[in-house]
Amino acid sequence: MSVNLKGNILVTGTNRGIGLELVKQLAEKTGPETQIYASCRDPEGTRAKALRDVASRFPGKITPIKFDTADEDSISAAFQAVSLKLGAAGLNLLINNAAINKPSAPGSLSATRKQDMMEVYETNVAGPFILTKMFLPLLQQAASTRDEGDDMSCRRSAIINMSTVFASVKKCPETFQMAQMYPYRTSKAALNMLTCCQAEDFRRHGILVTAIHPGWVQTEMGGEQAPLMPQDSVAGMLRVMSTLSNKHSGLLLDWEGNTIPW
């Protein structure tokens, strides 16, 4: 089944889990003109073998890109490399998927150190902030083409920030006992505010910004007890991304398109 996405797409954190599945399904479900830039810390390392295997199945469509969202210099180098490949076309879709969780779940208060909080914030909040700031000119280039008219969409120019229902302040009483995860929850709540700020700031450029909760997914972070498989989560999110428009900018949605309260 195809999705209504196209153009140049950059996905972060693609060596495993949701990021890897995003690359796989985007390659399978988009047209031959779509170019997917798949980032991870070490595309040539042993942990990226699955990504290299997927890229080999779609020669010329998937380009692994090396950078660490916690390393500003590596993001700058990646921007230069991607800019050369994109030329005047710009970047149509940026999916900020890379994230970490420390300490491991349930992440109680007593188990959480200041260093955990700082490292998680650096990757989950500062990373998407710096990455989007650097790649903004490429998103603006894509938005200026107006192939999709005046409406914002993930085909024209968009940023998807991967969030979580655990970041919802309103739903915290419902979810807190499942996993305390202080650094992860608070960092993703900050990412939600970043999403709102970017949505307001970039509206004048025609760039859509939406946060999406992928569900509780069976990944290294989500654990084996999670009820949702990566394939189903990603299929749902891609369907949602295909339908996003002006009215969805600045919202937090789940993988089925339902609005989650802040």
Side-chain angles (χ1 to χ4, degrees):
M1 178 180 146
S2 64
V3 294
N4 195 13
L5 299 169
K6 64 180 184 179
N8 297 309
I9 301 172
L10 171 61
V11 187
T12 68
T14 62
N15 64 304
R16 58 189 171 92
I18 290 171
L20 179 63
E21 187 64 26
L22 278 164
V23 171
K24 180 174 177 286
Q25 291 197 30
L26 282 167
E28 291 172 344
K29 297 178 179 181
T30 58
E33 76 288 349
T34 299
Q35 292 293 306
I36 302 161
Y37 297 89
S39 87
C40 65
R41 294 176 182 174
D42 184 9
E44 299 302 320
T46 56
R47 288 174 62 85
K49 182 182 183 303
L51 174 60
R52 294 195 299 273
D53 290 344
V54 172
S56 68
R57 290 172 46 201
F58 301 91
K61 190 170 187 177
I62 299 172
T63 303
I65 298 291
K66 180 179 180 176
F67 70 81
D68 180 351
T69 54
D71 183 341
E72 193 166 351
D73 289 339
S74 76
I75 295 174
S76 178
F79 170 76
Q80 298 299 328
V82 173
S83 295
L84 290 174
K85 291 180 177 293
L86 296 187
L91 182 65
N92 299 97
L93 179 58
L94 168 60
I95 303 178
N96 282 315
N97 168 72
I100 61 171
N101 175 42
K102 291 185 177 183
S104 57
S108 65
L109 179 65
S110 61
T112 303
R113 307 165 300 161
K114 176 183 177 181
Q115 183 180 350
D116 296 326
M117 188 72 81
M118 300 305 290
E119 289 180 3
V120 171
Y121 261 69
E122 183 174 40
T123 297
N124 296 4
V125 186
F129 170 76
I130 295 298
L131 179 66
T132 301
K133 180 180 178 182
M134 285 194 184
F135 279 78
L136 181 59
L138 300 181
L139 290 158
Q140 288 174 299
Q141 278 179 251
S144 68
T145 61
R146 296 187 179 274
D147 286 343
E148 297 293 321
D150 291 328
D151 287 338
M152 291 189 286
S153 74
C154 289
R155 294 171 300 285
R156 181 183 175 190
S157 183
I159 301 159
I160 299 296
N161 291 324
M162 205 63 68
S163 188
T164 172
V165 69
F166 284 174
S168 170
V169 175
K170 185 171 183 179
K171 285 188 170 290
C172 186
E174 301 174 31
T175 65
F176 184 72
Q177 296 307 323
M178 296 171 61
Q180 290 81 60
M181 297 168 64
Y182 279 86
Y184 188 73
R185 284 176 179 271
T186 54
S187 70
K188 291 295 188 175
L191 181 69
N192 287 349
M193 176 55 83
L194 179 62
T195 299
C196 288
C197 292
Q198 291 174 337
E200 292 305 315
D201 198 5
F202 302 162
R203 195 180 303 275
R204 58 200 166 101
H205 302 306
I207 300 171
L208 181 148
V209 190
T210 302
I212 295 184
H213 163 54
W216 185 11
V217 185
Q218 286 189 26
T219 61
E220 187 175 309
M221 186 184 296
E224 294 181 357
Q225 71 275 30
L228 196 58
M229 296 299 293
Q231 297 90 328
D232 298 321
S233 168
V234 168
M237 288 192 289
L238 292 181
R239 284 193 296 269
V240 171
M241 292 180 207
S242 296
T243 65
L244 297 181
S245 64
N246 301 41
K247 66 182 180 181
H248 300 109
S249 198
L251 296 182
L252 170 60
L253 307 175
D254 70 12
W255 64 284
E256 296 178 305
N258 303 303
T259 301
I260 298 174
W262 296 120

